[in-house]
């Protein structure tokens, strides 16, 4: 089953999903192998793979390692079109709809389109909303966009709604990797109330309780990266917290 179908199914069944963000710059091959093992045992649903800026050429090696050693689907979360890779299962085809940078609304998509057409990757049209997490993140700098202020839920709601009306299939609210504060729960609740497509939430989630609360507020899928890079023991506890939440 592809990513969109499996996520839609889990929502219908009232289940929440857990994705680990693998920024290949932050792992060695040995640490990646450990992460794969722990994730397989802990019921991790997806690996998101990518970063706003990659400086080490490890993508091919790491994707091969993941695909050869587990069944967890790998969804590319690309910072740019150099990160397109046919070894993955799918790609978040991101439109940075909280920003006003035309390259990230359509320019990069035009460049990527023929590559995506030529390879067998599930393309997931995604409305990406960057939300202020209290510090300036790499994604805010690299994308040259202003995040939505954390107290402006109405802007997030209208932006997410516009994304759905434009035909996007997923909304991803992100405070940015390493954010001081995650996306506010009140903002998640408001957005969830107005959209019918799946809602992904990530950025700055560091504890099982934060992950659980994000799910209870309406996140269908929670993404965690940094906290797991620092402490791999969080994987099973985060997984239990997220999967323990039902509608
Ligand atoms: C970033 O949502 C992801 O795009 C994960 O963020 O690394 O802060 O968990 P963290």
């Amino acid at each position: 089953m592809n990513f969109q179908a499996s996520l839609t199914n889990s929502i219908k069944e009232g289940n929440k999903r857990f994705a680990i963000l693998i920024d290949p710059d932050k792992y060695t091959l040995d640490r990646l192998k450990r992460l794969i093992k722990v994730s397989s045992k802990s019921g991790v649903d997806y690996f998101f793979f990518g970063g706003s800026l990659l400086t080490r050429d490890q993508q091919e090696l790491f994707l091969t390692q993941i695909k050869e050693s587990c069944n967890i689907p790998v969804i590319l979360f690309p910072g740019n079109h150099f990160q397109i890779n046919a070894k993955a299962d799918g790609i978040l085809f991101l439109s940075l709809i909280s920003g006003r940078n035309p390259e990230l609304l359509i320019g990069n998509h035009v460049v990527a389109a023929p590559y995506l057409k030529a390879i067998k990757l599930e393309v997931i049209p995604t409305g990406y909303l960057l939300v202020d997490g209290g510090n300036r993140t790499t994604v805010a700098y690299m994308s040259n966009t202003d995040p939505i202020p954390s107290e402006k839920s109405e802007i997030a709601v209208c932006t997410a709604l516009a994304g759905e009306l434009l035909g996007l299939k997923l909304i991803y609210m992100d405070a940015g990797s390493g954010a001081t504060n995650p996306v506010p729960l009140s903002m998640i609740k408001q957005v969830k109330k107005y959209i019918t497509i799946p809602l992904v939430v990530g950025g700055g989630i560091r504890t099982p309780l934060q992950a659980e609360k994000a799910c209870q507020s309406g996140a269908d899928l929670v993404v965690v990266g940094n906290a797991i890079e620092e402490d791999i023991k969080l994987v099973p506890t985060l997984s239990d917290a997220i999967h323990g939440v039902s509608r």
Side-chain angles (χ1 to χ4, degrees):
M1 197 186 300
N2 69 20
F3 174 81
Q4 291 177 84
S6 80
L7 191 56
T8 306
N9 260 7
S10 64
I11 294 170
K12 267 190 209 143
E13 290 162 2
N15 297 321
K16 304 294 181 176
R17 293 287 179 237
F18 175 31
I20 293 181
L21 174 64
I22 300 176
D23 176 339
D25 270 12
K26 307 274 181 65
Y27 282 87
T28 59
L29 189 58
D30 278 349
R31 288 191 65 219
L32 179 72
K33 286 180 184 169
R34 239 181 103 208
L35 180 72
I36 295 168
K37 216 184 242 175
V38 175
S39 301
S40 302
K41 272 194 205 150
S42 308
V44 171
D45 299 293
Y46 310 104
F47 288 133
F48 281 7
F49 189 93
S52 306
L53 180 67
L54 300 185
T55 60
R56 292 153 73 190
D57 187 16
Q58 310 197 98
Q59 290 181 81
E60 195 69 21
L61 175 70
F62 283 10
L63 285 170
T64 306
Q65 181 65 39
I66 299 170
K67 292 314 296 173
E68 281 176 359
S69 48
C70 73
N71 292 320
I72 301 173
V74 183
I75 307 298
L76 299 176
F77 177 42
N80 55 59
H81 45 263
F82 293 116
Q83 295 178 31
I84 296 174
N85 193 304
K87 287 212 163 78
D89 298 285
I91 181 167
L92 299 181
F93 199 38
L94 299 163
S95 295
L96 208 171
I97 56 176
S98 60
R100 299 296 180 268
N101 179 344
E103 287 306 312
L104 304 179
L105 288 164
I106 185 62
N108 283 358
H109 308 67
V110 173
V111 176
Y115 292 93
L116 293 174
K117 184 79 182 161
I119 58 179
K120 212 179 109 227
L121 262 187
E122 180 192 354
V123 176
I124 306 143
T126 302
Y128 184 71
L129 275 69
L130 193 56
V131 177
D132 195 324
N135 57 331
R136 186 137 163 88
T137 55
T138 307
V139 58
Y141 182 83
M142 291 302 294
S143 65
N144 196 18
T145 65
D146 283 334
I148 296 175
S150 57
E151 71 285 5
K152 301 282 187 192
S153 288
E154 69 280 12
I155 298 180
V157 168
C158 296
T159 307
L161 200 50
E164 177 166 356
L165 293 172
L166 280 166
L168 299 172
K169 302 294 186 213
L170 191 75
I171 295 294
Y172 188 156
M173 293 172 80
D174 196 353
S177 198
T180 306
N181 311 312
V183 176
L185 300 177
S186 52
M187 187 184 270
I188 300 174
K189 275 185 201 153
Q190 284 300 314
V191 168
K192 184 63 183 175
K193 223 195 279 177
Y194 284 91
I195 61 169
T196 63
I197 52 179
L199 179 60
V200 176
V201 175
I205 295 177
R206 309 193 57 83
T207 67
L209 187 62
Q210 285 175 323
E212 188 181 327
K213 285 189 171 165
C215 288
Q216 285 164 345
S217 303
D220 299 304
L221 189 161
V222 166
V223 188
V224 182
N226 262 266
I228 292 167
E229 287 157 17
E230 290 161 26
D231 182 7
I232 199 169
K233 291 195 292 300
L234 272 174
V235 174
T237 50
L238 280 165
S239 183
D240 287 350
I242 292 165
H243 294 128
V245 177
S246 52
R247 244 181 329 189

